[in-house]
Amino acid sequence: MSAVAEHTTAGSSGASEPDTNSSAVGEDYPGRHREYDGRHRADPGGLSVWATAQSTGPVQRRGRYVPESVKHPARMLPAIAAHAIAAYTESGDLVLDPMCGIGTTLVEAVHAGRDAFGIEYEPRWSNIADANIRHAHDQGASGRASVIRGDATRLMSLVPKALTGQVALVVTSPPYGPTVHGLVRPGEHGVVKYDDRYNDGEDKGNLAYRDLTGLTDGFAEILRGCATLLRPGGAVVVTARPWRKRGELIDLPSAVIAAGLRAGLMPTERCVALLAAVRHGQLVARPSFFQLQQVRKARTYGVPMHLIAHEDVLIFTKTRISAEDGSGVVA
């Protein structure tokens, strides 16, 4: 199984200058987060399967996000971000999403009493992320959050140095290409896709326009910056899934693991976030129109394809170099 993920975007150089006017990312950040107490935040007896689709994406977002949020073609499920935040942080911790899209990670963090900041390359999505943060505060969210507009592959040039070693958790996901499933509506000549692109296609600096090698190289740069910002004992949570291109399987999760290793991060857990509900011991699929269409076409040609039911969740921790033997150990 794999999963249709709901993802965010990042770009290469040439992005607009960062906006760092919020106290959540400013030079005067008070650093109210606790000293690391030496214990892993995740429940060691917890399951590696996250039940994150007990309700559908639209139900999870209804009233919690502004209506314009639906226009992003690859939104992360709020329950995935919320589960990671609950498992790997405590109240007052600092959370980062370097490709924050409409701000799902940030919204779930502030509702949970964490502080958060995100990076977003596309102005359209960063504006919606700002609106979602304001909406969360209007609903009583106690955490602080802000969005920096810029290129996450140059993360350390965007973020105040005062935040080095302060981030408790990174939650993010790489893009899947210039177009994704988006939304559909009936048209005169059949089904019409819309809101299926990260941008208008004119700015090729976005990571979504790179091939797999270029995408993973850029993502490794982003993760390298995240490793610098991560505090001892902090975690990086990346959601990813394989996809098919001209019939061939593209193994993005393995590419993400390789990118994390190149960035100085150590893979420590591999979980799955369900994109299907659990009802009476059975999985209830929540497929998109395109998933159903692809599976039906494949089976017509005799290919035993099945509906996607989960998304890979890859958890990393920071490594440091041992002075004695030069080996990498978990920080």
Side-chain angles (χ1 to χ4, degrees):
M1 291 188 299
S2 183
V4 171
E6 301 185 33
H7 294 302
T8 51
T9 63
S12 60
S13 54
S16 58
E17 288 302 310
D19 176 2
T20 57
N21 292 326
S22 168
S23 61
V25 297
E27 292 288 356
D28 58 348
Y29 183 73
R32 66 188 178 94
H33 311 290
R34 306 170 323 285
E35 290 295 324
Y36 176 62
D37 61 9
R39 65 183 179 85
H40 198 326
R41 300 297 179 203
D43 175 10
L47 295 174
S48 62
V49 177
W50 300 3
T52 47
Q54 293 298 86
S55 58
T56 65
V59 170
Q60 290 184 28
R61 298 184 192 93
R62 187 176 301 152
R64 197 171 177 90
Y65 293 79
V66 300
E68 293 78 11
S69 299
V70 73
K71 295 182 180 298
H72 193 285
R75 303 166 302 282
M76 180 182 286
L77 275 179
I80 293 178
H83 185 106
I85 290 162
Y88 295 96
T89 68
E90 293 183 355
S91 180
D93 279 346
L94 183 61
V95 178
L96 162 65
D97 187 342
M99 294 171 285
C100 71
I102 61 168
T104 300
T105 297
L106 314 186
V107 168
E108 298 308 315
V110 298
H111 274 297
R114 280 65 164 167
D115 290 342
F117 68 103
I119 315 296
E120 176 51 40
Y121 184 72
E122 301 291 347
R124 179 186 185 188
W125 310 129
S126 66
N127 289 337
I128 293 176
D130 283 336
N132 278 324
I133 292 167
R134 290 193 298 269
H135 185 59
H137 288 149
D138 289 343
Q139 293 182 319
S142 61
R144 299 171 297 168
S146 64
V147 181
I148 300 174
R149 293 153 182 82
D151 171 12
T153 64
R154 299 164 50 237
L155 186 58
M156 296 312 298
S157 69
L158 304 176
V159 176
K161 292 182 180 179
L163 294 184
T164 299
Q166 296 294 311
V167 172
L169 174 67
V170 175
V171 182
T172 198
S173 186
Y176 287 142
T179 63
V180 287
H181 285 176
L183 302 174
V184 297
R185 61 171 173 256
E188 182 179 352
H189 302 290
V191 172
V192 177
K193 290 178 66 173
Y194 66 102
D195 289 334
D196 60 339
R197 293 180 177 269
Y198 291 112
N199 62 23
D200 59 14
E202 295 181 0
D203 183 358
K204 295 302 190 292
N206 193 302
L207 273 188
Y209 289 90
R210 300 185 185 183
D211 61 15
L212 182 62
T213 299
L215 169 61
T216 53
D217 286 347
F219 196 57
E221 287 301 313
I222 293 170
L223 292 179
R224 190 169 289 113
C226 291
T228 300
L229 295 171
L230 206 64
R231 76 181 185 190
V236 176
V237 173
V238 182
T239 64
R241 66 171 176 86
W243 79 91
R244 291 187 181 275
K245 184 175 183 180
R246 290 189 283 273
E248 293 187 6
L249 189 68
I250 308 299
D251 187 3
L252 183 59
S254 293
V256 167
I257 292 173
L261 289 169
R262 284 156 49 199
L265 295 169
M266 178 67 68
T268 55
E269 299 176 71
R270 186 164 186 169
C271 303
V272 296
L274 290 180
L275 299 180
V278 181
R279 297 284 187 269
H280 308 294
Q282 301 293 321
L283 290 182
V284 179
R286 302 194 184 280
S288 70
F289 168 84
F290 296 102
Q291 282 181 284
L292 286 171
Q293 184 184 53
Q294 290 169 0
V295 169
R296 287 167 179 164
K297 285 183 177 179
R299 291 186 175 184
T300 298
Y301 290 104
V303 178
M305 187 179 291
H306 295 272
L307 286 172
I308 294 167
H310 81 271
E311 184 164 11
D312 287 67
V313 185
L314 310 170
I315 295 95
F316 301 85
T317 54
K318 185 162 61 172
T319 60
R320 59 181 172 81
I321 302 301
S322 169
E324 289 78 14
D325 60 7
S327 61
V329 297
V330 176

